[in-house]
Amino acid sequence: IMKNSMKKLITDLKDMNQNLEMKVKERTKEIKMAYDELDVYKNQLEVKVEEEIKKRQETMAIKERMEGELNIAHDIQMSMIPLLFPVFTEYKEFSLFAKIKPAREVGGDFYDFYFIDDNHLCIVIGDVSGKGVPAALFMAVSKTLIKSRASDDLSPASIVSYVNEEMSIDNPASMFVTLFIGVLDLNTGTLKYTNAGHNPPYIVKPDSTIAALNQRHGPIVGAIDGITYSEGSIVLKPKDKLLLFTDGVTEAMNINGDLFGEEKLENFLIESHGLPVTPLIDELMGAVSDHEAGCEQSDDITILAFEYFGRELIASDTISIKNHINSLSTVANYFESLSEEYSIPMPITHKMNIALDDLLNNIISYGYDDDKEHIIELQFEYSKHRLSVIISDDGIPFNPFEEKPVD
């Protein structure tokens, strides 16, 4: 019995061993297959990782290239805007400062200023719809058209009407620009201006009173053709300041969604009325940044400030003559004595006498259609940078540009 039991036990152990070996082989095979599958997955993962790294590198390269191009675009755009101050230091009649802070690398805000002639200063501020590259391109075209037209045009209304017509002709993207253009006569302080859908500027008086130039003279520029804009006029007194800005100032938002707003801007101007134009703008920019309190800037911010001091006259006088040819010598003698008294250079005196002789001769000889006696008035003004004579008469109106050409 024991022998049989031992045999059976041995047989059973052999069977168990064989089964165990088979299971070990099967499990080993399974593990090997799993490792093989893992190797395949590992290889696939490595390929995918390499592809993803390559894609990210390509994306980064594209991003860096785009950022580089945008930085170049920013530099080009900023080079179109006068950024170096102070400007026109030879003129003591005014001071001017401006600052721009784009919300992106490039934007649609701009400002400009330049002399149309020795006595008229043109001041411009604009805000193009949208942001980024399209706005920057539209801004460049707008600014170029304005300056080109203003080179020989003293009417802001005429300048804006021309620019609107040109910008409206081919504008498939329906973009537009808000504009404020002013032309200042430095002699009189008279500011002619046209506001085309722009934020009303402020006049800041030396006594801290402020006034908004609320008059609008037409809609936004570039949207509708065939519009004739009008213009307004105001006389700046010495120490008056003119503040121009874009809606990035009043629409600056804090974390609570509160806008900087016109009321806060007006309070700032009242409190800071005595500041020169440069610290005025610097502090206003700081006030807007403080209001945003770390929030992302949502729009371009542009501010331009101008202070008028007036033009100090060295001499000013008015004489009246009758419409007789022999009155010409009276004018010549008067002007020569004026020149001697105030040390007006002889070449200027000589040229002015020739011009006066020619103008008065024409007025006396051809300006009247009767034999009555008429009075001609001459107003002389002499300052450091300018000598002017205004001749007023009641003769027949004559405009040489309306005359038909001679055959």
Side-chain angles (χ1 to χ4, degrees):
I1 293 173
M2 284 185 65
K3 186 176 181 182
N4 290 334
S5 297
M6 289 295 293
K7 277 186 177 182
K8 187 174 184 309
L9 180 59
I10 291 171
T11 301
D12 291 341
L13 288 172
K14 286 182 178 180
D15 292 340
M16 287 176 63
N17 186 50
Q18 289 176 353
N19 291 334
L20 182 60
E21 287 179 355
M22 288 179 61
K23 288 181 179 181
V24 170
K25 288 180 181 179
E26 290 174 359
R27 186 58 180 160
T28 301
K29 186 177 180 182
E30 290 175 0
I31 292 173
K32 186 176 182 305
M33 290 177 62
Y35 270 107
D36 290 342
E37 290 176 1
L38 188 61
D39 286 339
V40 172
Y41 176 75
K42 179 185 175 185
N43 293 334
Q44 291 175 345
L45 184 61
E46 287 175 350
V47 171
K48 288 183 179 180
V49 168
E50 288 177 0
E51 290 175 351
E52 185 65 25
I53 291 172
K54 187 177 180 181
K55 286 181 182 178
R56 291 193 179 188
Q57 289 174 340
E58 292 174 350
T59 302
M60 287 297 294
I62 293 171
K63 183 181 178 182
E64 288 174 0
R65 185 170 67 250
M66 290 179 65
E67 287 178 349
E69 291 173 353
L70 285 173
N71 288 333
I72 293 171
H74 169 82
D75 294 341
I76 292 173
Q77 185 182 24
M78 289 299 102
S79 70
M80 297 180 66
I81 297 172
L83 299 174
L84 298 177
F85 294 92
V87 292
F88 307 128
T89 53
E90 68 274 21
Y91 287 87
K92 307 305 178 185
E93 296 86 350
F94 68 91
S95 63
L96 186 153
F97 185 66
K99 188 171 281 191
I100 184 170
K101 184 181 178 184
R104 299 183 182 177
E105 287 83 356
V106 290
D109 277 15
F110 67 96
Y111 63 81
D112 208 351
F113 45 83
Y114 35 80
F115 276 95
I116 297 175
D117 56 34
D118 290 341
N119 193 51
H120 292 90
L121 178 70
C122 184
I123 302 171
V124 182
I125 192 167
D127 184 359
V128 174
S129 60
K131 298 179 182 66
V133 174
L137 292 174
F138 202 81
M139 162 258 167
V141 175
S142 302
K143 182 178 176 297
T144 302
L145 285 172
I146 293 168
K147 191 166 188 177
S148 172
R149 180 69 177 191
S151 62
D152 59 356
D153 195 337
L154 294 176
S155 168
S158 173
I159 296 169
V160 176
S161 297
Y162 167 80
V163 173
N164 178 72
E165 200 66 23
E166 293 296 315
M167 300 298 288
S168 303
I169 292 173
D170 186 14
N171 186 11
S174 299
M175 298 187 72
F176 61 85
V177 58
T178 67
L179 282 177
F180 181 93
I181 298 180
V183 176
L184 178 71
D185 185 331
L186 292 180
N187 270 338
T188 64
T190 301
L191 177 73
K192 294 181 179 179
Y193 64 93
T194 293
N195 188 330
H198 198 76
N199 300 77
Y202 284 94
I203 300 294
V204 184
K205 297 286 185 179
D207 62 358
S208 81
T209 57
I210 63 171
L213 300 182
N214 287 316
Q215 189 177 8
R216 299 287 179 94
H217 304 99
I220 53 181
V221 173
I224 307 171
D225 60 358
I227 295 175
T228 301
Y229 291 78
S230 59
E231 63 187 39
S233 178
I234 187 173
V235 178
L236 298 180
K237 302 297 182 183
K239 298 291 185 177
D240 281 354
K241 295 187 185 75
L242 173 68
L243 186 91
L244 311 178
F245 61 96
T246 58
D247 58 11
V249 173
T250 51
E251 295 180 5
M253 190 179 297
N254 63 18
I255 56 175
N256 298 320
D258 301 321
L259 301 179
F260 189 81
E262 292 178 359
E263 182 178 353
K264 197 167 185 177
L265 174 59
E266 291 174 359
N267 289 335
F268 172 87
L269 293 176
I270 292 171
E271 294 172 1
S272 308
H273 70 278
L275 291 176
V277 291
T278 300
L280 178 70
I281 288 184
D282 287 339
E283 291 199 13
L284 180 52
M285 280 285 195
V288 173
S289 296
D290 291 343
H291 175 80
E292 290 175 321
C295 289
E296 184 180 0
Q297 182 183 334
S298 60
D299 199 1
D300 303 335
I301 298 174
T302 303
I303 310 171
L304 185 150
F306 174 92
E307 184 171 7
Y308 180 66
F309 300 123
R311 176 165 275 175
E312 183 179 352
L313 292 175
I314 298 173
S316 178
D317 197 9
T318 301
I319 65 168
S320 297
I321 61 171
K322 296 177 181 179
N323 58 324
H324 301 151
I325 289 295
N326 57 11
S327 297
L328 297 179
S329 60
T330 302
V331 174
N333 291 334
Y334 167 82
F335 185 65
E336 285 178 4
S337 64
L338 187 74
S339 299
E340 185 177 350
E341 181 178 358
Y342 293 102
S343 302
I344 299 175
M346 186 57 68
I348 295 177
T349 303
H350 181 64
K351 289 180 181 179
M352 181 61 77
N353 268 329
I354 292 173
L356 288 173
D357 185 82
D358 187 52
L359 289 168
L360 292 172
N361 213 323
N362 275 284
I363 293 171
I364 294 169
S365 301
Y366 307 109
Y368 304 98
D369 56 0
D370 57 42
D371 295 326
K372 296 180 181 179
E373 192 171 84
H374 296 266
I375 299 297
I376 303 171
E377 187 176 89
L378 293 89
Q379 181 182 353
F380 293 84
E381 288 187 349
Y382 178 53
S383 65
K384 183 176 180 180
H385 298 284
R386 180 180 177 86
L387 169 65
S388 68
V389 181
I390 299 174
I391 303 174
S392 303
D393 63 80
D394 60 350
I396 303 167
F398 174 72
N399 186 345
F401 298 106
E402 294 178 355
E403 294 296 304
K404 294 181 180 180
V406 179
D407 293 333

